[in-house]
């Protein structure tokens, strides 16, 4: 008996075949809510690398890309950041609000490929952890341009993705699709500059910081 292919890969392949790089996210969250699938990136706790980095926010504005069920957003909120967490999947946003009914986080539905104009250079902290890597490379330049545009002068952007250089790409099963080092570095555009680029988790992931 063969093992069924994970729902995220099946849905992603169908969505991408229709030219939609993000539509499958809400389909996956909806299927998970019905108990028919698992969302592989939800763990019920904040990303440990972000938890290790966390700094006092002192009321400054933070944006969490692909906020999912809210764990990273709530972590930053607890450290004093005024957090906006956004996801392209309405089901994920509703679930985050239900999980944290007393939260001060502003959970909103938004698309990284077509973000609100009010977010332009509006955030002192921008966090992107393993979301853009779910998009094929053809869509990444536009996503990374949006990401850079959110960062306010003097702010910090954090970008963490699976590192291509330390993966067996010949046998890689996707999504997600790992990042090259040059792709991560390309966040440095329109006045944004790279501060540091390291690997974590025994070289499996990039951890990069940027400022404007």
């Amino acid at each position: 008996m063969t093992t069924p292919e994970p729902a995220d890969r099946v849905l992603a392949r169908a969505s991408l075949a229709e030219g939609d790089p993000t539509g499958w996210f809400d389909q996956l969250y909806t299927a998970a809510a019905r108990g028919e699938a698992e969302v592989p990136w939800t763990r019920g706790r904040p990303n440990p690398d972000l938890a290790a980095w966390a700094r006092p926010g002192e009321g400054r504005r933070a944006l969490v890309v692909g906020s999912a069920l809210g764990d990273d957003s709530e972590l930053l909120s607890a450290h004093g950041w005024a957090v906006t967490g956004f996801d392209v999947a309405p089901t994920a946003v509703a679930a985050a609000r239900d999980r944290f009914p007393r939260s001060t986080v502003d959970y909103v539905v938004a698309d990284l490929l077509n973000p609100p104009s009010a977010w332009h250079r509006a955030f002192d902290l921008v966090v992107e952890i393993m979301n853009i890597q779910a998009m094929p490379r053809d869509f990444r330049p536009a996503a990374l341009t949006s990401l850079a545009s959110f960062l306010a002068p003097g702010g910090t952007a954090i970008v963490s993705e699976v590192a291509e250089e330390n993966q067996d790409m010949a046998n890689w099963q996707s999504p997600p699709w790992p990042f090259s080092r040059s792709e991560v570095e390309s966040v440095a555009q329109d006045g944004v500059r790279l501060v540091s680029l390291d690997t974590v988790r025994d070289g499996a992931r990039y951890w990069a910081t940027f400022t404007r």
Side-chain angles (χ1 to χ4, degrees):
M1 178 181 291
T2 59
T3 302
E5 190 172 13
D8 59 315
R9 294 177 188 167
V10 175
L11 293 171
R13 187 164 56 245
S15 185
L16 292 169
E18 297 175 355
D20 183 357
T22 60
W24 62 278
F25 287 106
D26 196 56
Q27 296 171 19
L28 180 61
Y29 280 107
T30 300
R34 295 195 300 257
E36 299 170 358
E38 293 185 1
V39 181
W41 52 84
T42 58
R43 296 288 184 270
R45 60 184 182 275
N47 177 279
D49 303 312
L50 182 62
W53 175 89
R55 309 283 195 273
E58 300 175 339
R60 290 170 294 173
R61 297 188 69 189
L63 182 70
V64 176
V65 179
S67 51
L69 301 186
D71 296 293
D72 289 349
S73 299
E74 296 299 325
L75 169 74
L76 294 175
S77 179
H79 280 77
W81 295 90
V83 182
T84 298
F86 82 93
D87 205 289
V88 72
T91 306
V93 171
R97 291 171 178 165
D98 287 344
R99 285 186 73 203
F100 304 103
R102 299 180 180 177
S103 176
T104 61
V105 175
D106 184 18
Y107 289 108
V108 298
V109 178
D111 187 345
L112 181 60
L113 296 175
N114 187 27
S117 59
W119 290 0
H120 183 70
R121 300 194 180 189
F123 295 94
D124 303 294
L125 175 65
V126 177
V127 176
E128 153 52 21
I129 297 179
M130 299 180 66
N131 292 286
I132 298 176
Q133 67 180 31
M135 298 181 185
R137 282 198 165 92
D138 289 349
F139 295 94
R140 289 182 183 175
L144 293 169
T145 294
S146 286
L147 188 72
S149 76
F150 300 145
L151 190 61
T156 297
I158 293 172
V159 180
S160 183
E161 314 286 351
V162 172
E164 179 183 83
E165 64 192 71
N166 292 313
Q167 306 298 328
D168 178 10
M169 296 305 298
N171 296 303
W172 185 267
Q173 298 294 315
S174 57
W177 292 268
F179 260 58
S180 68
R181 183 174 289 267
S182 62
E183 283 181 299
V184 176
E185 291 173 341
S186 73
V187 176
Q189 56 179 283
D190 190 29
V192 174
R193 61 180 178 84
L194 178 67
V195 176
S196 64
L197 174 54
D198 303 301
T199 56
V200 296
R201 304 195 187 190
D202 296 323
R205 296 183 188 175
Y206 292 119
W207 183 268
T209 61
F210 300 83
T211 193
R212 183 188 296 280

